[in-house]
């Protein structure tokens, strides 16, 4: 986490957005800890949904799984608080997702979701 802090020092990031799949959130955790930011979970940017319903966790479940056990200086949360931003309202709700049958279908959905996220959030 200290290495990440040095790497991102001085860069004006204000948001970390992640797909709701656990492995994606796991990837975002060290960056969130280094930048002192919480992770916003956006179902709309997840991978192709050939298996339906999708096999990812809801925000509440992710919040229980990803906590600040050892918060560092500038951390986004205190001990045993979640690294997941539960106040974030996704642009695509899990209930709006449907089964997909190709990469292009998933890419269009993810592009629309990412564009809406950028338009809705201030900063970088």
């Amino acid at each position: 986490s200290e290495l990440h802090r040095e790497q991102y020092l001085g860069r004006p990031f204000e948001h970390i957005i992640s797909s709701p799949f656990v492995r994606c959130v796991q990837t975002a955790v060290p960056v969130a800890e280094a930048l002192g930011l919480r992770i916003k979970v956006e179902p709309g940017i997840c991978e192709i949904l050939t298996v339906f319903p999708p096999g990812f966790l809801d925000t509440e479940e992710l919040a229980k799984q990803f906590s600040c056990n050892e918060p560092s200086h500038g951390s986004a949360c205190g001990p045993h608080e979640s690294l997941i931003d539960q106040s974030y309202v996704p642009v695509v709700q899990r209930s709006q997702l449907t089964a997909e049958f190709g990469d292009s279908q998933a890419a269009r959905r993810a592009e629309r979701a990412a564009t809406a996220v950028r338009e809705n959030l201030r900063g970088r």
Side-chain angles (χ1 to χ4, degrees), residues 37-57:
L37 297 172
R38 292 184 193 256
I39 301 166
K40 293 170 174 61
V41 177
E42 178 55 58
I45 62 171
C46 70
E47 64 195 45
I48 186 170
L49 297 171
T50 54
V51 174
F52 204 81
F56 57 73
L57 300 177

Side-chain angles (χ1 to χ4, degrees), residues 2-117:
E2 202 55 44
L3 176 63
H4 286 103
R5 187 179 345 283
E6 290 176 22
Q7 183 178 6
Y8 296 112
L9 190 64
R11 295 189 182 173
F13 292 104
E14 294 180 37
H15 306 283
I16 297 174
I17 313 295
S18 176
S19 160
F21 284 97
V22 170
R23 68 183 178 282
C24 298
V25 176
Q26 287 171 329
T27 300
V29 164
V31 178
E33 289 174 335
L35 294 176
L37 297 172
R38 292 184 193 256
I39 301 166
K40 293 170 174 61
V41 177
E42 178 55 58
I45 62 171
C46 70
E47 64 195 45
I48 186 170
L49 297 171
T50 54
V51 174
F52 204 81
F56 57 73
L57 300 177
D58 289 323
T59 300
E60 296 77 23
E61 295 165 336
L62 290 167
K64 291 175 189 171
Q65 189 168 338
F66 293 95
S67 63
C68 291
N69 292 324
E70 295 180 31
S72 57
H73 175 70
S75 178
C77 55
H80 309 294
E81 290 181 1
S82 180
L83 276 168
I84 304 299
D85 183 348
Q86 296 182 71
S87 68
Y88 174 72
V89 178
V91 297
V92 177
Q93 300 293 324
R94 181 186 191 122
S95 61
Q96 296 172 297
L97 297 171
T98 59
E100 297 167 335
F101 305 101
D103 290 337
S104 62
Q105 190 179 6
R108 284 191 301 273
R109 183 232 332 123
E111 179 183 17
R112 285 191 304 269
T115 298
V117 167

